Coordinates of all heavy atoms in Angstrom, one line a residue:
R1 N 113.2 92.2 -15.2 CA 112.0 92.7 -16.0 C 111.7 91.6 -17.0 O 112.6 91.1 -17.7 CB 112.3 94.0 -16.6 CG 112.8 95.1 -15.7 CD 112.8 96.3 -16.4 NE 111.5 96.9 -16.2 CZ 111.2 98.1 -16.3 NH1 112.0 99.0 -16.7 NH2 110.0 98.5 -16.0
S2 N 110.5 91.4 -17.3 CA 110.1 90.5 -18.3 C 109.9 91.2 -19.7 O 109.6 92.4 -19.7 CB 108.8 89.7 -18.0 OG 107.8 90.7 -17.8
V3 N 110.1 90.5 -20.7 CA 109.9 91.1 -22.1 C 108.9 90.2 -22.7 O 109.1 89.0 -22.8 CB 111.2 91.1 -22.9 CG1 111.0 91.6 -24.2 CG2 112.3 91.9 -22.1
L4 N 107.8 90.8 -23.3 CA 106.8 90.0 -24.0 C 107.3 89.7 -25.4 O 107.6 90.6 -26.1 CB 105.5 90.8 -24.0 CG 104.8 91.0 -22.7 CD1 103.6 91.8 -22.9 CD2 104.5 89.7 -22.0
M5 N 107.5 88.5 -25.7 CA 108.0 88.1 -27.0 C 107.0 87.5 -28.0 O 107.2 87.4 -29.2 CB 109.1 87.1 -26.9 CG 110.3 87.6 -26.1 SD 111.1 89.1 -26.8 CE 111.9 88.3 -28.1
C6 N 105.8 87.1 -27.5 CA 104.8 86.5 -28.3 C 104.1 87.5 -29.2 O 104.2 88.7 -28.9 CB 103.8 85.7 -27.5 SG 103.0 86.7 -26.2
G7 N 103.4 87.1 -30.1 CA 102.7 88.0 -31.0 C 101.5 88.6 -30.3 O 101.2 88.3 -29.2
P8 N 100.9 89.6 -31.0 CA 99.8 90.3 -30.4 C 98.6 89.4 -30.1 O 98.1 88.7 -30.9 CB 99.4 91.3 -31.4 CG 100.4 91.3 -32.5 CD 101.2 90.1 -32.3
T9 N 98.2 89.4 -28.8 CA 97.1 88.5 -28.4 C 96.1 89.4 -27.7 O 95.2 88.9 -27.0 CB 97.6 87.5 -27.4 OG1 98.2 88.1 -26.3 CG2 98.5 86.5 -28.0
H10 N 96.2 90.7 -27.9 CA 95.3 91.6 -27.1 C 94.0 91.9 -27.8 O 93.9 91.7 -29.0 CB 96.0 92.9 -26.9 CG 96.7 93.5 -28.1 ND1 98.0 93.3 -28.4 CD2 96.1 94.3 -29.1 CE1 98.2 94.0 -29.6 NE2 97.1 94.5 -30.0
D11 N 93.1 92.2 -27.0 CA 91.7 92.6 -27.5 C 91.8 94.0 -28.1 O 92.4 94.9 -27.5 CB 90.8 92.6 -26.2 CG 89.4 92.9 -26.5 OD1 89.1 93.8 -27.4 OD2 88.5 92.4 -25.9
P12 N 91.2 94.2 -29.2 CA 91.3 95.6 -29.9 C 90.7 96.7 -28.9 O 91.2 97.8 -29.0 CB 90.4 95.4 -31.1 CG 90.5 94.0 -31.4 CD 90.6 93.3 -30.1
A13 N 89.7 96.4 -28.1 CA 89.2 97.4 -27.2 C 90.2 97.8 -26.2 O 90.3 98.9 -25.8 CB 87.9 96.8 -26.5
I14 N 91.0 96.8 -25.7 CA 92.0 97.1 -24.7 C 93.1 98.0 -25.4 O 93.6 99.0 -24.8 CB 92.6 95.8 -24.1 CG1 91.6 95.1 -23.3 CG2 93.9 96.1 -23.3 CD1 92.0 93.7 -22.9
L15 N 93.5 97.6 -26.6 CA 94.5 98.4 -27.3 C 94.0 99.9 -27.5 O 94.7 100.8 -27.3 CB 94.8 97.8 -28.7 CG 95.8 98.6 -29.5 CD1 97.1 98.7 -28.8 CD2 96.0 97.9 -30.9
H16 N 92.7 100.0 -27.9 CA 92.1 101.4 -28.1 C 92.3 102.2 -26.8 O 92.6 103.4 -26.8 CB 90.7 101.3 -28.5 CG 90.0 102.6 -28.7 ND1 90.3 103.4 -29.8 CD2 89.1 103.2 -27.9 CE1 89.6 104.5 -29.6 NE2 88.8 104.4 -28.5
K17 N 91.9 101.5 -25.6 CA 92.0 102.2 -24.3 C 93.5 102.6 -24.0 O 93.8 103.7 -23.6 CB 91.5 101.4 -23.2 CG 91.4 102.1 -21.9 CD 90.6 101.3 -20.9 CE 90.4 102.1 -19.6 NZ 89.5 101.4 -18.7
C18 N 94.4 101.7 -24.3 CA 95.8 102.0 -24.1 C 96.3 103.1 -25.0 O 97.1 104.0 -24.6 CB 96.7 100.8 -24.3 SG 96.4 99.5 -23.1
M19 N 95.8 103.2 -26.2 CA 96.3 104.3 -27.1 C 95.8 105.6 -26.7 O 96.4 106.6 -27.0 CB 95.8 104.0 -28.6 CG 96.5 102.9 -29.3 SD 98.3 103.3 -29.6 CE 98.2 104.8 -30.7
S20 N 94.7 105.7 -25.8 CA 94.2 106.9 -25.3 C 95.0 107.5 -24.2 O 94.9 108.6 -23.7 CB 92.8 106.8 -24.9 OG 92.6 106.0 -23.8
M21 N 96.0 106.7 -23.7 CA 96.8 107.0 -22.5 C 98.0 107.9 -23.0 O 98.4 107.8 -24.2 CB 97.3 105.8 -21.8 CG 96.2 104.9 -21.2 SD 96.8 103.3 -20.6 CE 97.8 103.8 -19.2
K22 N 98.5 108.6 -22.1 CA 99.8 109.4 -22.4 C 100.9 108.4 -22.3 O 100.9 107.4 -21.7 CB 100.0 110.4 -21.3 CG 99.0 111.5 -21.2 CD 99.3 112.4 -20.1 CE 98.2 113.5 -19.9 NZ 98.4 114.3 -18.7
V23 N 102.0 108.7 -23.0 CA 103.2 107.9 -23.1 C 103.7 107.7 -21.7 O 104.1 106.6 -21.3 CB 104.3 108.5 -24.0 CG1 105.6 107.8 -23.8 CG2 103.8 108.5 -25.5
S24 N 103.7 108.7 -20.9 CA 104.2 108.6 -19.5 C 103.4 107.6 -18.7 O 103.9 106.9 -17.9 CB 104.3 110.0 -18.8 OG 103.0 110.5 -18.7
E25 N 102.1 107.6 -18.9 CA 101.2 106.6 -18.2 C 101.5 105.2 -18.7 O 101.5 104.3 -17.9 CB 99.7 107.0 -18.5 CG 99.3 108.3 -17.9 CD 97.9 108.7 -18.3 OE1 97.5 108.4 -19.4 OE2 97.3 109.5 -17.5
L26 N 101.7 105.1 -20.0 CA 102.0 103.7 -20.6 C 103.3 103.2 -19.9 O 103.3 102.1 -19.5 CB 102.1 103.8 -22.1 CG 100.9 104.1 -22.9 CD1 101.2 104.5 -24.3 CD2 99.9 102.9 -22.8
K27 N 104.3 104.0 -19.9 CA 105.6 103.6 -19.3 C 105.4 103.3 -17.8 O 106.0 102.3 -17.4 CB 106.6 104.7 -19.6 CG 107.1 104.7 -21.0 CD 108.2 105.8 -21.2 CE 108.7 105.8 -22.6 NZ 109.8 106.8 -22.8
A28 N 104.7 104.1 -17.1 CA 104.5 103.9 -15.7 C 103.8 102.5 -15.4 O 104.2 101.8 -14.5 CB 103.7 105.0 -15.1
E29 N 102.8 102.2 -16.2 CA 102.1 101.0 -16.0 C 102.9 99.8 -16.4 O 103.0 98.7 -15.8 CB 100.8 100.9 -16.8 CG 100.0 99.7 -16.4 CD 98.5 99.7 -16.9 OE1 98.0 100.8 -17.2 OE2 98.0 98.6 -17.0
L30 N 103.7 99.9 -17.5 CA 104.6 98.9 -17.9 C 105.7 98.6 -16.8 O 106.0 97.5 -16.5 CB 105.3 99.2 -19.2 CG 104.4 99.1 -20.5 CD1 105.0 99.7 -21.7 CD2 104.0 97.7 -20.8
D31 N 106.1 99.7 -16.2 CA 107.1 99.6 -15.1 C 106.4 98.8 -13.9 O 107.1 97.9 -13.3 CB 107.5 101.0 -14.6 CG 108.6 101.6 -15.5 OD1 109.2 100.9 -16.3 OD2 108.7 102.9 -15.4
L32 N 105.2 99.2 -13.6 CA 104.5 98.5 -12.5 C 104.3 97.0 -12.8 O 104.3 96.2 -11.8 CB 103.2 99.2 -12.2 CG 103.2 100.5 -11.5 CD1 101.8 101.2 -11.5 CD2 103.8 100.4 -10.1
R33 N 104.2 96.7 -14.0 CA 104.0 95.3 -14.4 C 105.3 94.6 -14.7 O 105.4 93.4 -15.1 CB 103.1 95.2 -15.7 CG 101.7 95.7 -15.4 CD 101.0 95.8 -16.8 NE 99.6 96.3 -16.6 CZ 98.6 95.6 -16.4 NH1 98.7 94.3 -16.3 NH2 97.4 96.1 -16.2
S34 N 106.4 95.3 -14.5 CA 107.8 94.8 -14.7 C 108.0 94.3 -16.1 O 108.6 93.3 -16.4 CB 108.1 93.7 -13.7 OG 108.1 94.2 -12.4
I35 N 107.5 95.1 -17.1 CA 107.7 94.8 -18.5 C 108.6 95.8 -19.1 O 108.3 97.0 -19.0 CB 106.3 94.8 -19.2 CG1 105.5 93.6 -18.6 CG2 106.5 94.6 -20.7 CD1 104.1 93.6 -19.1
S36 N 109.6 95.3 -19.7 CA 110.6 96.2 -20.3 C 110.1 96.8 -21.6 O 109.4 96.1 -22.4 CB 111.9 95.4 -20.7 OG 112.8 96.3 -21.4
Y37 N 110.3 98.1 -21.8 CA 110.0 98.7 -23.1 C 111.2 99.3 -23.8 O 111.2 100.1 -24.6 CB 108.9 99.9 -22.9 CG 109.2 100.8 -21.7 CD1 110.0 101.9 -21.9 CD2 108.7 100.5 -20.5 CE1 110.3 102.7 -20.8 CE2 108.9 101.4 -19.4 CZ 109.7 102.5 -19.6 OH 110.0 103.3 -18.6
E38 N 112.4 98.7 -23.4 CA 113.6 99.0 -24.1 C 113.5 98.8 -25.6 O 113.0 97.7 -26.0 CB 114.7 98.2 -23.5 CG 116.1 98.5 -24.0 CD 117.2 97.7 -23.3 OE1 117.0 97.1 -22.2 OE2 118.3 97.6 -23.9
G39 N 113.9 99.7 -26.3 CA 113.9 99.6 -27.8 C 112.5 100.0 -28.4 O 112.4 100.0 -29.6
M40 N 111.6 100.3 -27.6 CA 110.3 100.8 -28.1 C 110.3 102.3 -28.1 O 110.5 102.9 -27.1 CB 109.1 100.3 -27.2 CG 108.9 98.8 -27.2 SD 107.5 98.4 -26.2 CE 107.8 96.6 -26.0
F41 N 110.1 102.9 -29.3 CA 110.2 104.3 -29.4 C 108.8 105.0 -29.8 O 108.6 106.2 -29.7 CB 111.2 104.7 -30.5 CG 112.6 104.1 -30.1 CD1 113.1 103.0 -30.7 CD2 113.3 104.7 -29.1 CE1 114.3 102.5 -30.4 CE2 114.6 104.2 -28.7 CZ 115.1 103.1 -29.4
E42 N 107.9 104.2 -30.3 CA 106.6 104.7 -30.8 C 105.6 104.4 -29.7 O 105.6 103.3 -29.1 CB 106.2 104.0 -32.1 CG 107.2 104.2 -33.2 CD 107.3 105.7 -33.7 OE1 106.3 106.4 -33.6 OE2 108.4 106.1 -34.1
K43 N 104.6 105.3 -29.6 CA 103.5 105.1 -28.6 C 102.7 103.9 -28.9 O 102.3 103.1 -28.0 CB 102.6 106.4 -28.7 CG 101.4 106.2 -27.8 CD 100.5 107.5 -27.8 CE 99.3 107.3 -26.8 NZ 98.5 108.5 -26.8
A44 N 102.6 103.6 -30.2 CA 101.8 102.4 -30.6 C 102.5 101.1 -30.1 O 101.8 100.1 -29.7 CB 101.6 102.3 -32.1
E45 N 103.8 101.1 -30.1 CA 104.5 99.9 -29.5 C 104.3 99.8 -28.0 O 104.1 98.6 -27.5 CB 106.0 100.1 -29.8 CG 106.5 100.0 -31.2 CD 107.9 100.4 -31.4 OE1 108.4 101.4 -31.0 OE2 108.6 99.5 -32.0
L46 N 104.4 100.9 -27.3 CA 104.1 100.9 -25.9 C 102.7 100.4 -25.6 O 102.4 99.6 -24.7 CB 104.4 102.2 -25.3 CG 105.8 102.8 -25.4 CD1 105.9 104.2 -25.0 CD2 106.7 102.0 -24.5
A47 N 101.7 101.0 -26.3 CA 100.3 100.6 -26.1 C 100.1 99.2 -26.4 O 99.3 98.5 -25.7 CB 99.4 101.5 -27.0
S48 N 100.7 98.7 -27.5 CA 100.5 97.2 -27.8 C 101.1 96.3 -26.7 O 100.5 95.3 -26.4 CB 101.2 97.0 -29.2 OG 101.0 95.6 -29.5
A49 N 102.3 96.7 -26.2 CA 102.9 95.9 -25.1 C 102.0 95.9 -23.9 O 101.8 94.8 -23.3 CB 104.3 96.4 -24.8
L50 N 101.4 97.0 -23.6 CA 100.6 97.1 -22.4 C 99.3 96.4 -22.6 O 98.8 95.7 -21.8 CB 100.3 98.6 -22.0 CG 99.4 98.8 -20.8 CD1 99.9 98.1 -19.6 CD2 99.2 100.3 -20.6
A51 N 98.7 96.5 -23.8 CA 97.4 95.8 -24.1 C 97.6 94.3 -24.0 O 96.8 93.6 -23.5 CB 96.9 96.2 -25.5
E52 N 98.8 93.8 -24.5 CA 99.1 92.4 -24.4 C 99.2 92.0 -23.0 O 98.7 90.9 -22.6 CB 100.3 92.1 -25.2 CG 100.6 90.6 -25.3 CD 101.6 90.2 -26.4 OE1 102.0 91.1 -27.2 OE2 102.0 89.0 -26.4
A53 N 99.9 92.8 -22.2 CA 100.1 92.5 -20.8 C 98.7 92.4 -20.0 O 98.5 91.5 -19.2 CB 101.0 93.5 -20.1
R54 N 97.9 93.4 -20.3 CA 96.5 93.4 -19.7 C 95.7 92.2 -20.2 O 95.1 91.6 -19.4 CB 95.8 94.7 -20.1 CG 96.3 95.9 -19.3 CD 95.4 97.1 -19.7 NE 95.7 98.3 -18.9 CZ 95.0 99.4 -18.9 NH1 94.0 99.5 -19.8 NH2 95.3 100.4 -18.2
S55 N 95.8 91.8 -21.5 CA 95.1 90.7 -22.0 C 95.5 89.4 -21.4 O 94.7 88.5 -21.2 CB 95.2 90.6 -23.5 OG 94.6 91.7 -24.1
L56 N 96.8 89.3 -21.0 CA 97.4 88.1 -20.4 C 97.1 88.1 -18.9 O 97.5 87.1 -18.2 CB 98.9 88.0 -20.7 CG 99.2 87.8 -22.2 CD1 100.7 87.9 -22.4 CD2 98.7 86.5 -22.7
G57 N 96.5 89.2 -18.4 CA 96.2 89.2 -17.0 C 97.3 89.4 -16.0 O 97.3 88.9 -14.9
K58 N 98.4 90.1 -16.5 CA 99.5 90.4 -15.7 C 99.2 91.2 -14.4 O 100.0 91.2 -13.5 CB 100.6 91.0 -16.5 CG 101.3 90.1 -17.5 CD 102.7 90.5 -17.6 CE 103.5 89.3 -17.9 NZ 104.7 89.2 -17.2
A59 N 98.1 91.9 -14.4 CA 97.6 92.7 -13.2 C 96.2 93.1 -13.5 O 95.7 93.0 -14.6 CB 98.5 93.9 -13.0
D60 N 95.6 93.6 -12.5 CA 94.2 94.1 -12.6 C 94.3 95.5 -13.1 O 94.7 96.4 -12.4 CB 93.5 94.0 -11.2 CG 92.1 94.5 -11.3 OD1 91.6 94.9 -12.3 OD2 91.4 94.4 -10.2
P61 N 93.8 95.7 -14.4 CA 93.9 97.0 -15.0 C 93.1 98.1 -14.3 O 93.4 99.3 -14.3 CB 93.4 96.9 -16.4 CG 92.9 95.5 -16.5 CD 93.3 94.7 -15.3
S62 N 92.0 97.7 -13.6 CA 91.2 98.7 -12.9 C 92.0 99.4 -11.7 O 91.8 100.6 -11.5 CB 90.0 98.1 -12.3 OG 90.3 97.1 -11.3
I63 N 92.9 98.7 -11.1 CA 93.8 99.2 -10.1 C 94.7 100.3 -10.7 O 94.9 101.4 -10.2 CB 94.6 98.1 -9.4 CG1 93.6 97.2 -8.6 CG2 95.6 98.8 -8.4 CD1 94.3 96.0 -8.1
I64 N 95.3 99.9 -11.8 CA 96.2 100.8 -12.5 C 95.5 102.0 -13.1 O 96.0 103.2 -13.0 CB 97.0 100.1 -13.6 CG1 97.7 98.8 -13.1 CG2 98.0 101.0 -14.3 CD1 98.7 99.1 -12.0
D65 N 94.3 101.8 -13.6 CA 93.5 102.9 -14.2 C 93.2 103.9 -13.0 O 93.3 105.1 -13.2 CB 92.2 102.4 -14.8 CG 92.4 101.7 -16.1 OD1 93.5 101.8 -16.7 OD2 91.5 101.0 -16.6
Q66 N 92.8 103.4 -11.9 CA 92.6 104.3 -10.7 C 93.8 105.1 -10.3 O 93.8 106.3 -10.1 CB 92.0 103.5 -9.5 CG 91.6 104.3 -8.3 CD 90.5 105.2 -8.6 OE1 89.5 104.8 -9.3 NE2 90.5 106.4 -8.1
F67 N 95.0 104.4 -10.3 CA 96.2 105.1 -10.0 C 96.5 106.2 -11.0 O 96.9 107.3 -10.6 CB 97.4 104.0 -10.1 CG 98.7 104.6 -10.0 CD1 99.3 105.0 -8.8 CD2 99.5 104.8 -11.1 CE1 100.5 105.5 -8.7 CE2 100.7 105.4 -11.0 CZ 101.3 105.7 -9.8
N68 N 96.3 105.9 -12.3 CA 96.5 107.0 -13.3 C 95.6 108.1 -13.2 O 96.0 109.3 -13.3 CB 96.4 106.4 -14.7 CG 97.6 105.5 -15.1 OD1 98.7 105.7 -14.5 ND2 97.3 104.5 -15.9
R69 N 94.3 107.9 -12.8 CA 93.4 109.0 -12.6 C 93.8 109.8 -11.4 O 93.7 111.1 -11.4 CB 92.0 108.4 -12.4 CG 91.3 108.0 -13.6 CD 89.8 107.8 -13.4 NE 89.5 106.6 -12.6 CZ 89.5 105.4 -13.0 NH1 89.7 105.1 -14.3 NH2 89.2 104.4 -12.2
W70 N 94.3 109.2 -10.3 CA 94.7 110.0 -9.2 C 95.9 110.8 -9.5 O 96.1 112.0 -9.1 CB 95.1 109.1 -8.0 CG 94.0 108.4 -7.3 CD1 92.7 108.8 -7.3 CD2 94.1 107.2 -6.6 NE1 91.9 107.9 -6.6 CE2 92.8 106.9 -6.1 CE3 95.1 106.3 -6.2 CZ2 92.5 105.8 -5.4 CZ3 94.8 105.2 -5.5 CH2 93.5 105.0 -5.0
G71 N 96.8 110.3 -10.4 CA 98.0 111.0 -10.7 C 97.8 112.2 -11.7 O 98.5 113.2 -11.7
S72 N 96.6 112.2 -12.4 CA 96.3 113.3 -13.3 C 95.5 114.4 -12.7 O 95.2 115.4 -13.3 CB 95.6 112.7 -14.5 OG 94.3 112.2 -14.1
K73 N 95.2 114.3 -11.4 CA 94.4 115.3 -10.7 C 95.3 116.5 -10.2 O 96.4 116.4 -9.9 CB 93.6 114.7 -9.5 CG 92.5 113.9 -10.0 CD 91.7 113.4 -8.8 CE 90.6 112.5 -9.2 NZ 89.8 112.0 -8.2

């Protein structure tokens, strides 16, 4: 698993979208992106890690967003 060590490089709009997700969704997407969230206990930390991963283009977020919508039905 990779760990993002650089400072926040995410777009505020991406962070806002990530903050609207459930913690379980954040963790699921971080898992799919192979990003460790070990030691992260706050939702804001998870959302920030995911926003940074999305900003860096680690995967196509539209695919993950569709997956999350299917899972919430």
Side-chain angles (χ1 to χ4, degrees):
R1 305 190 92 162
S2 59
V3 178
L4 296 176
M5 299 300 288
C6 55
T9 58
H10 50 265
D11 180 323
I14 295 173
L15 179 60
H16 179 74
K17 187 169 185 174
C18 292
M19 284 298 295
S20 71
M21 297 169 68
K22 296 176 184 176
V23 169
S24 60
E25 293 172 333
L26 292 167
K27 288 181 176 181
E29 186 169 339
L30 288 167
D31 284 338
L32 287 172
R33 294 171 184 270
S34 297
I35 296 174
S36 174
Y37 46 86
E38 184 176 341
M40 294 183 194
F41 302 103
E42 302 294 326
K43 180 178 180 178
E45 293 173 303
L46 297 167
S48 181
L50 180 55
E52 188 165 349
R54 284 182 173 189
S55 293
L56 294 173
K58 286 214 150 220
D60 182 356
S62 65
I63 295 169
I64 305 301
D65 289 345
Q66 184 64 38
F67 171 81
N68 288 334
R69 282 192 293 276
W70 288 339
S72 65
K73 289 184 181 182

